[in-house]
């Protein structure tokens, strides 16, 4: 192959990684780094392209000799320092690295296993249908096995996911389960009642699905969740009735003023280069610098080598890229900051990577600036962004947490693009906020200092551009528990120029939709 310059290799790797935040790095076929939890830096100096990867567990430096992008994977020919023989490194955007054939085989085998499970554990029901077929019109792909079991005039929708799918696919299963239930109800004749949904997930993976299912309307459907151990053909039903059993934890709110004072030198240095950039306190020892929601630098406390003295350190980069700011690379930092300023504005170049990155964070920065653009009842002087909402293995962040002027908590979940999972993600955060609020933890953990919070359950605001709302959103919201007071807010497509509400949708009827067997005619 023709020789590729180090500068061209550096640009190729940088461009790919800037749009692959959740990618995994494979070395010799094994996962070496998960970029959702790791950092990297790229250097094209001294006529070499060096890729440095590190995490809390390991550290690696590789010299990049060649690069090829194929099927969403960046394939690199690399050389370990001190070794002459090249090796291969792959960076995959797709976390499920199985071949299409392997996926089809696993899903077909699971379909048969699920059929045997249904026959064995629900002998009174007959399996009418079971499929993994694709139906893009109704948003169904091959990941989930869908079916219907029937006994006389009673039926249940069935949805299962096998253990070889990603945890993200398992967590998302309830969204598709609700949609499948709705499809089954619409498809059945007047003499059949589809009472509810029976869901099957792999053993040990049900925590997030269980929390979501606990907050659905039990007068609208009968909800059942099972863990299926495929290896031992064991089936265990999970109790979803207890809405108070939420495995979540709340982090202490940080003293914003104290953190800003601690890093005043770093703040002054960065703001001299990019005035009016956003400053977010991440912890007592770390702050982030953002431009229209996109983080480009951090300042953190570090220890001076060989001493017990602490010092401030600035690192910069977009996404998982991170380099320590030093004299020799200060021009690169200035160039990045000015590029952000010149491209990431409402009328900037739409095809530029920096303009397109993290649109939800851009929207969040606008809403956070004045939450009243979403609803006049919200209090603009008392709000938090990116509040940790940890639950089991899910480490999501609440976009905006605030209160109304009367002290009622409000959760704002924002999406800049069409997203089928918006309703249930908002449900996740509402449930965790309600759990902590019911136990009086927000004041104890330093949130909303000096404000008296209402005893009412939180409000839930779901926000998205009016022309980028998934058509299945209405169906999902209909199955929410009537205790959840939600409001869907559609905003103008030109939200980067200023957030403007164009429509609102609230539950039309707070009464639970009863499911009754139609009378045969």
């Amino acid at each position: 192959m023709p020789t590729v310059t180090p500068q061209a290799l550096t640009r190729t790797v940088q461009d790919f990684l800037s749009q692959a935040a959740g990618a995994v790095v494979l070395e010799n076929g094994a996962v070496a780094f998960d970029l959702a939890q790791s950092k990297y830096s790229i250097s094209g100096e001294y006529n070499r392209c060096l890729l440095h990867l590190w995490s809390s567990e390991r550290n690696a430096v590789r010299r990049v000799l060649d690069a090829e992008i194929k099927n969403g994977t960046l394939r690199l020919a690399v050389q370990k320092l001190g070794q002459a023989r090249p090796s291969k490194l792959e960076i995959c955007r797709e976390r499920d690295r199985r071949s299409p054939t392997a996926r089809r085989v696993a899903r077909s085998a699971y379909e048969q296993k699920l059929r045997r499970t249904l026959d064995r554990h629900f002998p009174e029901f007959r399996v009418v249908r079971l499929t993994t077929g694709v139906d893009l019109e109704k948003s169904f792909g091959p990941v989930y096995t869908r079916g219907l079991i029937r006994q006389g005039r009673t039926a249940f929708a069935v949805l299962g996911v096998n253990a070889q799918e990603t945890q993200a696919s398992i967590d998302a299963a309830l969204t598709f389960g609700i949609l499948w239930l709705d499809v089954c109800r619409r498809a059945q004749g007047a003499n059949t009642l589809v009472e509810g949904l029976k869901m099957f997930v792999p053993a040990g993976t049900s925590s997030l699905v269980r929390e979501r299912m606990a907050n659905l309307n039990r007068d609208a459907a009968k909800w059942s969740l099972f863990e299926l151990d495929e290896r031992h053909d064991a089936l265990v039903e999970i109790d979803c009735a207890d809405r108070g059993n939420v495995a979540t934890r709340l982090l202490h709110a940080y003293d914003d003023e104290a953190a800003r004072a601690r890093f005043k030198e770093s703040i002054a240095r960065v703001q001299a280069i990019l005035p009016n950039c956003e400053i977010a306190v991440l912890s007592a020892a770390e702050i982030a610098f953002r431009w229209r929601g996109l983080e480009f630098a951090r300042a953190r406390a570090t220890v001076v080598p060989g001493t017990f003295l602490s010092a401030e350190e600035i690192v910069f980069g977009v996404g998982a890229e991170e380099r320590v700011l030093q004299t020799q690379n200060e021009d690169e930092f200035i160039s990045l900051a000015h590029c952000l300023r010149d491209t990431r504005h409402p009328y900037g170049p739409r095809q530029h990577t920096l303009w397109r990155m993290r649109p939800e964070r851009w929207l969040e920065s606008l809403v956070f600036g004045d939450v009243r653009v979403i609803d006049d009842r919200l209090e603009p002087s008392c709000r938090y962004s990116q509040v940790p909402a940890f639950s089991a293995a899910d480490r999501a962040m609440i976009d905006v947490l605030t209160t109304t002027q009367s002290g009622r908590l409000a959760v704002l979940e924002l999406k800049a693009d069409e997203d089928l999972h918006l309703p249930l993600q908002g449900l996740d955060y509402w449930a965790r906020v309600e759990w902590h609020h019911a136990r009086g933890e927000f004041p104890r953990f330093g949130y909303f200092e000096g404000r008296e919070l209402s005893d009412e359950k939180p409000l839930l605001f779901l926000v998205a551009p009016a022309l980028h709302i998934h058509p299945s959103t209405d169906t999902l919201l209909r199955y929410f528990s009537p205790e959840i007071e939600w409001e869907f807010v559609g905003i103008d497509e030109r939200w980067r120029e200023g957030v403007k509400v164009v429509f609102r949708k609230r539950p039309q009827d707070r009464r639970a939709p009863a499911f009754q067997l139609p009378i045969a005619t």
Side-chain angles (χ1 to χ4, degrees), residues 128-168:
V128 177
R129 180 186 181 189
L130 214 55
T131 181
T132 55
V134 176
D135 187 347
L136 298 181
E137 183 181 351
K138 297 183 175 64
S139 302
F140 296 120
V143 174
Y144 305 103
T145 300
R146 312 177 302 279
L148 187 76
I149 57 176
R150 184 171 179 175
Q151 180 190 30
R153 300 173 67 190
T154 298
F156 281 88
V158 171
L159 185 135
V161 55
N162 72 74
Q164 295 188 45
E165 305 295 345
T166 64
Q167 184 62 49

Side-chain angles (χ1 to χ4, degrees), residues 395-421:
R395 298 175 61 83
M397 298 282 188
I398 299 171
D399 290 335
V400 179
L401 177 64
T402 184
T403 69
T404 63
Q405 294 176 14
S406 62
R408 186 177 183 181
L409 285 172
V411 178
L412 280 64
E413 175 65 5
L414 315 172
K415 292 294 181 185
D417 296 307
E418 184 176 293
D419 193 331
L420 171 64
H421 303 290

Side-chain angles (χ1 to χ4, degrees), residues 42 52 238 289 291 334 400 457:
I42 307 168
H52 182 194
I238 306 300
F289 298 94
W291 184 256
I334 295 173
V400 179
K457 292 182 182 295

Side-chain angles (χ1 to χ4, degrees), residues 77 88 112 133 290 346 351 366 386 433 494 499:
K88 293 183 179 180
Q112 299 305 315
R290 299 168 182 161
Q351 298 306 314
L366 297 176
Q386 292 297 288
V433 168
R494 296 161 294 185
V499 178

Side-chain angles (χ1 to χ4, degrees), residues 8 36 53-54 63 94 100 113 162 200-201 237 249-250 263 277 297 340 359 383 392 423 433 461 496 502 505 517:
L53 298 152
W54 69 95
R63 180 181 179 182
E94 177 60 57
K113 187 166 293 185
N162 72 74
F200 300 83
V201 299
E237 184 168 6
R249 58 190 176 89
L250 186 67
F263 291 102
C277 64
L340 280 168
R383 71 272 191 264
V433 168
F461 291 90
R496 288 179 176 85
V502 295
K505 181 178 178 61
L517 188 66

Side-chain angles (χ1 to χ4, degrees), residues 174-357:
L174 185 56
T175 293
F176 295 97
I178 294 172
L179 297 180
W180 177 242
L181 168 64
D182 197 69
V183 167
C184 290
R185 285 182 164 178
R186 293 175 185 272
Q188 296 308 302
N191 292 327
T192 301
L193 168 65
V194 182
E195 291 193 7
L197 171 69
K198 295 185 184 294
M199 278 194 58
F200 300 83
V201 299
T205 66
S206 65
S207 58
L208 188 58
V209 176
R210 189 203 63 77
E211 289 179 15
R212 289 177 170 181
M213 191 174 280
N215 288 285
L216 297 181
N217 190 341
R218 296 194 169 276
D219 291 326
K222 293 180 179 178
W223 309 99
S224 301
L225 177 63
F226 301 87
E227 286 192 352
L228 173 59
D229 186 334
E230 299 173 39
R231 177 175 296 181
H232 301 99
D233 286 331
L235 190 68
V236 177
E237 184 168 6
I238 306 300
D239 179 16
C240 298
D242 185 4
R243 294 179 57 185
N245 185 19
V246 179
T248 182
R249 58 190 176 89
L250 186 67
L251 298 183
H252 278 274
Y254 302 109
D255 189 328
D256 194 86
E257 293 184 6
R260 288 172 180 263
R262 185 176 298 112
F263 291 102
K264 62 181 180 180
E265 293 182 9
S266 296
I267 292 174
R269 184 179 180 183
V270 174
Q271 287 192 328
I273 298 170
L274 190 58
N276 302 317
C277 64
E278 303 149 19
I279 300 170
V281 177
L282 305 179
S283 72
E286 191 170 30
I287 62 173
F289 298 94
R290 299 168 182 161
W291 184 256
R292 302 192 190 278
L294 182 60
E295 183 177 315
F296 65 93
R298 289 190 181 195
R300 60 194 182 196
T302 186
V303 177
V304 178
T307 73
F308 294 103
L309 301 176
S310 63
E312 296 179 30
E313 177 184 75
I314 297 177
V315 296
F316 69 97
V318 174
E321 185 179 9
E322 182 179 289
R323 286 173 282 175
V324 177
L325 179 58
Q326 299 172 328
T327 304
Q328 56 266 37
N329 63 15
E330 187 165 9
D331 288 344
E332 295 179 41
F333 176 62
I334 295 173
S335 177
L336 172 62
H338 289 175
C339 188
L340 280 168
R341 179 197 61 195
D342 297 337
T343 60
R344 199 170 173 84
H345 60 82
Y347 311 103
R350 291 173 175 261
Q351 298 306 314
H352 198 286
T353 300
L354 293 179
W355 193 92
R356 295 164 56 195
M357 286 182 71

